[in-house]
Amino acid sequence: YLKSVNGIWSPLGSWILVPFIKGGGNAILFAKYLNGFYGLVSLILFFHIIRTLKIYFLPAVLIMGAGVLLLLHFSFARLFADNLLVMLLLCYVSIVQSNGFVNNYKKIIAAGFVGALAFYAKAYSFYFVLLHLPIVIIYLEKQNTGFYFSKSGIKKIITGIVVLVIASSFWFIALHNKYGHFILGQKNVTGTLTELYKPNKKLIYPPANGDYAFFDDISSVNAIELTP
């Protein structure tokens, strides 16, 4: 159980791949297919958001063109959960900017839940939703009531945050069981991998039996001194 828990790599992308791997499929090929699906859904959501915001035609075309290029890059050049994250965050934004969002508890709950799914795709999404959702609710409440903070607004903020935290807590607990303290992710991967671009110095073995490489859990290595 604990070998499947990792403080570096977020789990949702791997979880979605499990049925395809269990069925004997090619994991890398299916990851590419899924990336393409995430990209397609992202484009649909992106187009919907642009139409809702009523952006002028030319800027909308330029934005969509840039979005297509970015999503094509994520779909075919990367196998990580970038496209999955983009899709979930666009879904979150679509909910938040929908008509009547601030007066609809179902939409607030949905936003908190989708924000949690984004956390399972990439851990830093938790911080974004934790800050963004209250700010949006406060802003919309000010437009509706004339007050930045009202009892109803505070209840709505608490509702969204509670859903976000509860839905994310299963991974918090799993990480705590493995590492012994509560974290969203074990460490900054970008900073950790900087040394990988320097010349080889020594071999670092996989962190546990059955692992393919130390990449399976980089947090087991304090100082990385080689390229793979």
Side-chain angles (χ1 to χ4, degrees):
Y1 155 69
L2 291 180
K3 287 184 65 177
S4 66
V5 177
N6 195 300
I8 296 294
W9 314 116
S10 298
L12 187 56
S14 299
W15 289 348
I16 295 173
L17 269 177
V18 166
F20 301 102
I21 297 173
K22 286 290 186 180
N26 184 310
I28 294 177
L29 182 62
F30 277 116
K32 291 183 177 181
Y33 287 152
L34 286 170
N35 266 348
F37 172 75
Y38 302 149
L40 178 61
V41 175
S42 296
L43 284 176
I44 295 170
L45 289 168
F46 197 32
F47 179 71
H48 170 71
I49 292 169
I50 289 176
R51 286 191 61 188
T52 304
L53 294 175
K54 298 179 180 179
I55 297 175
Y56 290 114
F57 178 76
L58 182 57
V61 169
L62 293 175
I63 293 171
M64 280 298 298
V68 168
L69 293 175
L70 182 63
L71 290 168
L72 283 174
H73 168 72
F74 284 144
S75 295
F76 299 107
R78 302 175 70 89
L79 288 180
F80 297 105
D82 302 85
N83 250 15
L84 176 59
L85 173 64
V86 171
M87 182 186 74
L88 291 170
L89 287 181
L90 285 173
C91 182
Y92 165 80
V93 171
S94 180
I95 295 169
V96 167
Q97 58 88 53
S98 63
N99 291 331
F101 166 75
V102 77
N103 296 318
N104 190 322
Y105 273 92
K106 289 182 179 180
K107 290 185 177 182
I108 294 172
I109 290 171
F113 182 74
V114 173
L117 289 180
F119 159 72
Y120 283 100
K122 292 285 185 179
Y124 53 76
S125 303
F126 182 86
Y127 300 109
F128 168 73
V129 178
L130 186 65
L131 293 173
H132 183 266
L133 187 56
I135 291 172
V136 169
I137 292 174
I138 290 169
Y139 173 76
L140 294 176
E141 276 291 305
K142 176 64 167 61
Q143 288 187 325
N144 285 349
T145 65
F147 299 99
Y148 285 109
F149 296 99
S150 62
K151 287 185 178 180
S152 63
I154 292 172
K155 288 179 182 178
K156 292 166 186 174
I157 291 172
I158 292 173
T159 299
I161 296 304
V162 166
V163 171
L164 171 68
V165 172
I166 290 177
S168 304
S169 64
F170 302 102
W171 194 240
F172 296 161
I173 294 170
L175 290 172
H176 176 269
N177 289 341
K178 179 166 186 175
Y179 297 108
H181 53 279
F182 284 104
I183 52 173
L184 298 183
Q186 183 66 357
K187 61 175 71 173
N188 184 313
V189 176
T190 304
T192 302
L193 298 182
T194 301
E195 293 294 321
L196 290 176
Y197 300 102
K198 296 181 180 180
N200 294 354
K201 292 184 179 180
K202 69 177 183 179
L203 174 66
I204 297 180
Y205 291 94
N209 291 333
D211 291 341
Y212 291 102
F214 70 88
F215 276 102
D216 287 5
D217 191 350
I218 299 173
S219 63
S220 64
V221 180
N222 291 324
I224 297 175
E225 299 176 346
L226 83 166
T227 54

